[in-house]
Amino acid sequence: MKLCSTSRAAALLPVLLGILAFFIVVGPRALNPMNIAWLGDGDPATHYQGWVFFRHSPWSFPLGLNPSYGLELSNGLIFSDSNPLFAFLFKPFSALLPEPFQYFGLWLLTCFILQSWFAWKLLGLVTRDAVLRLLGTGLFLFVPAMLIRMSVHLSLGGHFMLLAALYLALRPFTPKRSLAWGTLLAAAALIHAYLLAMIALIWLADLAAHTLRRHLAPRKAVAELIGLFLLVSLCCWQAGYFSVGDDGLALMGYGLFRANVLSFFDPGTWSFALRDMPGVLGDGDGFAFLGLGVVFLFICAFAAWLQRGTAVHLKPRRYPLLLLALAGLALFAFSNNIGVGPFELHIPLPDAVVAVATIFRGSGRMIWPVMYMAIFAILYVVIRGHTSRTARILLSIALLLQVADTRSGWGESRNLFMASPAPQWPTPLVDPFWDQAARHYQAVRWLRPENYPEQWRTLAEYAGRHHLPTNAVYLGRMSTKATEAAQAVADQMVSSGQYAADTLYVLDSRTVLPAALTLNRETDVLARIDGLNVLAPGWKRCADCPPIVAADPLTLISPMKSNERVTFNVTSLATFFLGSGWSKSEPWGTWSEGSESQIILRPEAPVRSFVLEANALIAPSHTEQGLEISVNDVPVLSTRLLKAEANVVSVDLPAEVQQRIEREGVLVIRFQHADAVSPRALGMGLDPRKLAIGILALTLH
């Protein structure tokens, strides 16, 4: 009985230590379910918003569909990283929960407790000394790679699942192994795809190893393989993974968001004592600094290994497949753009391979299991290579160093978590119009539809507060085909001036100009309210809607001076003149996108001519770009661009066109791109956009 009581008391130690670490790093305010102040920026904002829309939506099948948050663009709960596991647990009680309600603070507490628990179990494979296990557990709790995610990608704070996978793989025998692995894999599938991928590879290596050692009969191994594959598939289906097709998974990024080879020793901003190492662009996603305390133990372990005071060199032979899986994860994390400090080596890969790898474009994250295995190996050597007393001293020093030195990083995160509690976010939408509009309309849409629009958080918060569906969202994946279809519908609405009567529209800077030209001024209102371009269909015919004082919509177009050369790079205000058919502006200029594009201007003086400066997408197999130019619906020039850079096109306007511009008050330049083609089709990379000209500058005369 006494032994049992002692064992239970010892089992509480990692739980208490995890709770203590949570309050040190995060603090108590995040546990307040009505406090959302700390969730108001960046990725945490979309994590929370995904839950807000999900809790108020009717149940669907699959369960993880979230149609109100994204509408036709994408609607899987998993793609807002809203932690479907917790969302499924709390949604049945939504009517009983307060407004607002967030479970992310509870999730972070769970992460700390289970990180501590599985670190304790993992170290139990090395020693039965409770003090050594507790000290080692503390080191696992202050791993920078875990802590840094907790203020950015909340679901990816679940590193405890990686420790659980390593524990199951290193444990000599696991009773009910299918149940243990199945529970872990199902939980990972309902939390985050990256965690699932890492854990699944470790499980497959463990399954193969036990089968080859004949610890597991082939029939049972096949049954486990099929059974757990079906279980994971079911969980992924219910979490909403398949709500986005293949066209939404293959994005650019593999080879950029990778791990640097020196990542274990590069502290970034997570050390007072060590300096940030020079790196290359994209290293941040593979951040895996061990921490000063673990680096100290690494030196101690290396010394012990040199003295050959431990049989550590015999242990890796027991787990060849596990080590092979970890090596594979490391290679994938390093990617084909291998960064070693500030140096980079590019290894060309077939486009098909890159396209598949890009499903996990943040490949640097795959280094985490390798990092944890390295920490475990260091602790193993220190504990087995020294006396118990010496090991306790070394681990105590290391834990003090780890906690104190990493405060350079987690101290900043704590400031975020401990922000003044608030049940709502600050919003610029203070005009009475917004409350009235929420009662009048059934949806809120951003035009032109896209992922992560500039005002997504403001509009998503507004729509969520009033229980209105919206496409103003920020999602991890979005269907390319669905987005293009939605954009085509939006372009048609704008060009025709016909909008859905039950929808409130907020327009981006490039859409407001063409919308001003086709606005039905008898029924609809286009106005700038609280800094947003609002298009309210049917507002003038609404008996209960207060009138909106709006200037002539054409005044939304800034006037342009004669003989003034304006550029169209990312920092130029002239990009507001760009209507439909243009990509995001870049430092040098702006690419056209698609077969047609337009520029809308309001000249201050009569216009006789203009000069266009542009690049063109030219390749050996695509030697020219045809360009048809119309001004205010009158064709004025047909030409071909033969140079990739610095094309100059001068356009003289007929008298008829000059008179039309003066009469209408606007100058609309429309370009037809019959030869638009994607760089991918030309073998110039993976860019799927159909490009033609890259506009540099324009001058009116």
Side-chain angles (χ1 to χ4, degrees):
M1 181 64 70
K2 183 177 181 181
L3 180 61
C4 182
S5 299
T6 303
S7 177
R8 289 178 180 176
L12 285 175
L13 291 177
V15 175
L16 295 175
L17 185 61
I19 294 173
L20 176 62
F22 169 83
F23 281 102
I24 290 174
V25 175
V26 178
R29 291 182 176 176
L31 289 176
N32 178 355
M34 297 186 67
N35 173 25
I36 63 171
W38 62 284
L39 296 167
D41 292 316
D43 289 55
T46 196
H47 304 340
Y48 172 69
Q49 285 297 335
W51 155 248
V52 169
F53 284 85
F54 181 69
R55 71 173 288 191
H56 293 299
S57 298
W59 283 103
S60 61
F61 194 84
L63 302 178
L65 296 184
N66 196 13
S68 296
Y69 190 66
L71 297 172
E72 67 279 351
L73 299 182
S74 180
N75 54 35
L77 187 64
I78 193 69
F79 295 121
S80 60
D81 283 352
S82 300
N83 199 322
L85 178 62
F86 271 48
F88 291 164
L89 291 175
F90 283 101
K91 180 167 181 171
F93 310 101
S94 180
L96 303 176
L97 299 175
E99 287 279 4
F101 176 84
Q102 58 85 13
Y103 47 68
F104 297 100
L106 178 61
W107 160 250
L108 295 184
L109 176 61
T110 302
C111 290
F112 273 96
I113 292 175
L114 293 182
Q115 179 85 351
S116 184
W117 173 260
F118 284 111
W120 172 271
K121 298 291 288 183
L122 193 60
L123 290 168
L125 302 177
V126 180
T127 179
R128 306 301 298 173
D129 187 316
V131 175
L132 288 175
R133 291 175 73 180
L134 201 62
L135 291 170
T137 296
L139 289 168
F140 279 104
L141 282 168
F142 283 86
V143 170
M146 177 188 75
L147 300 182
I148 197 173
R149 292 291 168 178
M150 290 188 165
S151 61
V152 182
H153 303 116
L154 304 182
S155 294
L156 284 177
H159 282 212
F160 66 87
M161 288 184 283
L162 302 177
L163 294 185
L166 291 176
Y167 171 67
L168 292 176
L170 293 172
R171 193 179 185 190
F173 174 73
T174 300
K176 299 182 179 178
R177 56 167 284 119
S178 294
L179 177 61
W181 277 111
T183 301
L184 181 59
L185 287 165
L190 294 175
I191 292 173
H192 205 285
Y194 278 86
L195 296 174
L196 172 62
M198 296 179 233
I199 293 167
L201 187 60
I202 296 172
W203 161 61
L204 290 173
D206 180 66
L207 180 64
H210 279 274
T211 304
L212 292 175
R213 293 177 194 158
R214 299 185 179 180
H215 295 167
L216 198 63
R219 181 179 298 176
K220 289 187 177 181
V222 171
E224 179 177 317
L225 179 66
I226 295 174
L228 295 195
F229 174 79
L230 293 176
L231 174 63
V232 169
S233 298
L234 175 64
C235 291
C236 289
W237 177 34
Q238 293 304 311
Y241 284 82
F242 307 134
S243 63
V244 171
D246 294 343
D247 65 304
L249 298 179
L251 303 172
M252 292 185 290
Y254 183 72
L256 174 61
F257 305 112
R258 45 77 201 286
N260 197 289
V261 173
L262 303 181
S263 183
F264 288 175
F265 303 100
D266 183 3
T269 60
W270 278 73
S271 175
F272 293 114
L274 302 178
R275 292 185 177 182
D276 180 21
M277 292 184 180
V280 290
L281 182 66
D283 286 351
D285 228 47
F287 177 70
F289 176 50
L290 299 176
L292 184 61
V294 178
V295 171
F296 164 74
L297 288 182
F298 171 74
I299 298 172
C300 298
F302 186 68
W305 182 79
L306 288 178
Q307 295 173 3
R308 300 185 181 277
T310 176
V312 67
H313 59 285
L314 299 176
K315 299 300 181 182
R317 300 178 185 177
R318 298 182 184 179
Y319 307 100
L321 293 182
L322 174 61
L323 294 179
L324 182 63
L326 294 175
L329 286 171
L331 290 175
F332 188 82
F334 295 146
S335 83
N336 62 320
N337 286 335
I338 303 173
V340 184
F343 305 102
E344 188 173 36
L345 172 65
H346 175 72
I347 300 176
L349 291 176
D351 289 345
V353 174
V354 174
V356 173
T358 300
I359 294 175
F360 294 100
R361 65 181 186 269
S363 65
R365 302 170 185 178
M366 300 299 180
I367 201 68
W368 296 339
V370 184
M371 174 195 71
Y372 281 118
M373 192 65 182
I375 295 174
F376 175 74
I378 291 169
L379 290 171
Y380 180 92
V381 176
V382 170
I383 292 172
R384 292 293 181 88
H386 298 86
T387 64
S388 179
R389 181 174 181 274
T390 302
R392 288 183 180 183
I393 293 173
L394 292 177
L395 263 64
S396 297
I397 295 172
L399 182 56
L400 288 173
L401 289 174
Q402 189 84 352
V403 175
D405 193 56
T406 56
R407 190 180 184 280
S408 174
W410 60 257
E412 294 295 322
S413 300
R414 182 179 171 82
N415 292 336
L416 169 69
F417 295 129
M418 290 296 288
S420 298
Q424 60 187 18
W425 296 334
T427 176
L429 308 184
V430 296
D431 193 285
F433 162 81
W434 297 103
D435 287 335
Q436 183 66 33
R439 291 189 290 269
H440 182 69
Y441 295 106
Q442 303 300 312
V444 179
R445 287 184 179 271
W446 175 264
L447 292 185
R448 198 168 181 247
E450 61 179 329
N451 193 15
Y452 196 44
E454 55 184 302
Q455 297 292 344
W456 79 268
R457 202 209 76 163
T458 297
L459 293 179
E461 187 278 332
Y462 166 72
R465 179 158 36 91
H466 293 284
H467 301 175
L468 301 174
T470 185
N471 69 348
V473 296
Y474 172 28
L475 297 171
R477 295 291 190 276
M478 187 173 284
S479 170
T480 302
K481 291 180 180 177
T483 302
E484 290 176 350
Q487 290 175 344
V489 171
D491 292 344
Q492 176 61 31
M493 283 193 298
V494 172
S495 63
S496 66
Q498 300 295 319
Y499 302 88
D502 64 348
T503 301
L504 177 68
Y505 297 92
V506 180
L507 281 52
D508 65 29
S509 58
R510 293 187 183 176
T511 303
V512 67
L513 305 186
L517 300 180
T518 61
L519 181 71
N520 185 337
R521 304 190 185 197
E522 294 183 1
T523 60
D524 304 342
V525 170
L526 178 58
R528 192 160 180 84
I529 304 175
D530 291 331
L532 300 183
N533 302 310
V534 177
L535 196 153
W539 191 266
K540 292 182 178 179
R541 297 284 177 86
C542 172
D544 299 329
C545 300
I548 298 175
V549 179
D552 185 334
L554 294 182
T555 62
L556 295 173
I557 307 172
S558 300
M560 182 173 173
K561 299 177 181 179
S562 296
N563 301 314
E564 178 184 4
R565 180 179 180 271
V566 296
T567 59
F568 294 93
N569 57 49
V570 69
T571 60
S572 173
L573 294 178
T575 56
F576 293 129
F577 299 144
L578 299 177
S580 60
W582 301 98
S583 290
K584 296 284 187 181
S585 296
E586 301 178 42
W588 57 268
T590 307
W591 279 111
S592 65
E593 184 172 359
S595 60
E596 183 178 299
S597 58
Q598 63 178 344
I599 299 175
I600 302 174
L601 307 167
R602 187 160 62 91
E604 283 189 338
V607 181
R608 301 186 309 275
S609 64
F610 63 84
V611 176
L612 174 73
E613 301 170 45
N615 294 337
L617 184 58
I618 300 294
S621 59
H622 198 81
T623 57
E624 58 184 35
Q625 283 287 347
L627 185 62
E628 304 285 338
I629 302 178
S630 300
V631 174
N632 289 40
D633 296 326
V634 178
V636 295
L637 182 67
S638 177
T639 186
R640 309 198 72 79
L641 306 185
L642 305 178
K643 297 190 300 181
E645 297 181 350
N647 294 280
V648 178
V649 179
S650 297
V651 180
D652 293 320
L653 300 179
E656 170 197 353
V657 175
Q658 296 181 36
Q659 293 169 5
R660 179 173 291 196
I661 293 171
E662 286 195 58
R663 184 170 62 252
E664 296 176 357
V666 292
L667 187 157
V668 181
I669 306 173
R670 193 179 306 275
F671 304 98
Q672 297 287 339
H673 311 290
D675 301 317
V677 64
S678 70
R680 181 168 62 186
L682 296 176
M684 299 171 63
L686 297 176
D687 190 344
R689 297 174 299 166
K690 288 188 176 182
L691 311 179
I693 66 170
I695 187 170
L696 303 172
L698 181 73
T699 306
L700 298 185
H701 297 293

